[in-house]
Amino acid sequence: GQQVMQIPQYQHVQEGEDFTTYCNSSTTLSNIQWYKQRPGGHPVFLIQLVKSGEVKKQKRLTFQFGEAKKNSSLHITATQTTDVGTYFCAVSMDSSYKLIFGSGTRLLVRP
Amino acid sequence: DVKVTQSSRYLVKRTGEKVFLECVQDMDHENMFWYRQDPGLGLRLIYFSYDVKMKEKGDIPEGYSVSREKKERFSLILESASTNQTSMYLCASSLGDLGSPLHFGNGTRLTVT
C-alpha cells in the first residue's frame, strides 16, 4: 500500500507566487528523490537527498530533507509558467532498489 | 544521454488477450522497473529487476509477470488482460548503485476493452 503521503494533490497559483509540496512518511527513509512530469511527458529526475536536514537548491527550487528523515519538501520561489507539471517524491526505505512514488502534486500556474 | 524505449505509445487490446509491453534501454543499466500511472494514485511499482533473470515483486504484481532475458530488455506481460488494467505503463532503468535516479521511457497507454 501507499507508504508515503504527498500533499497537496493540486495547487493553482498566480505566476510569481511561491509553491510548496510536501512528502511525509511514517518510517525513516534511506533517501528521497524528486521528479517532475510535464503534461503529456514522463517523470524526469530533479534531485536526491540523503542526509538528515539536507537542503539543496536548483535556481528557484529548494529541496529539504527533514531532521528525522521522515519528510521532505520542494519549494519553488516566484513560479513561472514553465514550472507547470506534476511533482513527485520517490522514496526507498530499507536500502532496497525498490523506489516508491508519492501520489504527486499537480501545479498549475496562471500567467 | 540515456534512452529508454517502449515499443508502443498506444495499445488497444480486448479482455482476455495476452499482452506484451516491451522496454529497451541503451545505457547498460543494471536495474529496470515497470510502473503503472493512474490519476490520483501516482506511480505504482509493478515489478523490478536488478539483474538479468532476476525479478522482484513491487506493490501491485497481481495479474502481471515480467521477463528479463537480456540486460537491456525488460518485458511486462499481462497473461489475460482485464479492463482494470487500462492504464499508462511506464518503464524505467537505473544504474546498479542504491539511490541511482530513474530514467523513464515515454510510456505506453494501454486500453483494454
Side-chain angles (χ1 to χ4, degrees):
Chain A
Q2 191 81 359
Q3 296 169 304
V4 57
M5 290 290 296
Q6 192 173 352
I7 55 171
Q9 191 174 5
Y10 298 98
Q11 187 94 48
H12 201 172
V13 301
Q14 185 72 41
E15 189 173 21
E17 290 182 339
D18 292 356
F19 159 78
T20 305
T21 174
Y22 301 90
C23 198
N24 298 297
S25 170
S26 57
T27 58
T28 303
L29 304 170
S30 301
N31 62 71
I32 189 163
Q33 299 178 7
W34 285 93
Y35 292 77
K36 177 184 178 181
Q37 184 176 25
R38 293 181 186 276
H42 56 270
V44 174
F45 174 77
L46 293 175
I47 209 158
Q48 177 173 247
L49 305 171
V50 179
K51 299 176 184 175
S52 167
E54 190 170 13
V55 177
K56 287 188 177 180
K57 294 193 175 188
Q58 288 180 351
K59 297 182 181 178
R60 294 177 295 103
L61 276 62
T62 302
F63 304 84
Q64 193 160 359
F65 204 4
E67 292 290 342
K69 299 183 73 173
K70 290 185 177 181
N71 57 71
S72 180
S73 63
L74 157 59
H75 179 82
I76 303 178
T77 303
T79 54
Q80 300 175 359
T81 54
T82 52
D83 295 325
V84 164
T86 302
Y87 293 85
F88 293 98
C89 60
V91 304
S92 61
M93 308 234 176
D94 51 2
S95 299
S96 164
Y97 294 116
K98 185 175 168 180
L99 206 59
I100 304 298
F101 280 74
S103 54
T105 296
R106 185 177 172 196
L107 172 63
L108 301 169
V109 180
R110 287 189 299 270
Chain B
D1 217 13
V2 177
K3 188 160 187 185
V4 179
T5 303
Q6 294 184 231
S7 53
S8 303
R9 184 75 171 121
Y10 298 96
L11 211 51
V12 180
K13 296 291 181 181
R14 293 191 182 275
T15 301
E17 277 192 82
K18 189 169 185 175
V19 182
F20 293 86
L21 301 183
E22 306 287 350
C23 177
V24 177
Q25 50 96 3
D26 66 358
M27 283 302 288
D28 203 35
H29 282 174
E30 288 80 8
N31 301 332
M32 295 189 76
F33 305 78
W34 275 106
Y35 289 87
R36 64 177 280 178
Q37 183 172 21
D38 301 286
L41 297 177
L43 282 74
R44 292 181 291 166
L45 181 63
I46 305 172
Y47 268 97
F48 68 103
S49 168
Y50 52 89
D51 202 350
V52 176
K53 297 191 187 294
M54 304 302 289
K55 61 185 179 185
E56 282 200 28
K57 292 180 180 179
D59 291 324
I60 52 164
E62 297 79 20
Y64 303 94
S65 62
V66 289
S67 172
R68 192 159 181 210
E69 295 296 317
K70 293 185 178 181
K71 192 174 185 180
E72 68 271 18
R73 185 181 295 270
F74 193 35
S75 304
L76 180 69
I77 303 151
L78 287 66
E79 292 290 340
S80 177
S82 62
T83 54
N84 62 15
Q85 292 178 310
T86 291
S87 186
M88 171 67 82
Y89 289 87
L90 288 163
C91 174
S93 71
S94 71
L95 288 168
D97 306 319
L98 284 172
S100 291
L102 268 57
H103 299 265
F104 284 87
N106 287 329
T108 295
R109 183 162 293 282
L110 172 67
T111 302
V112 183
T113 60

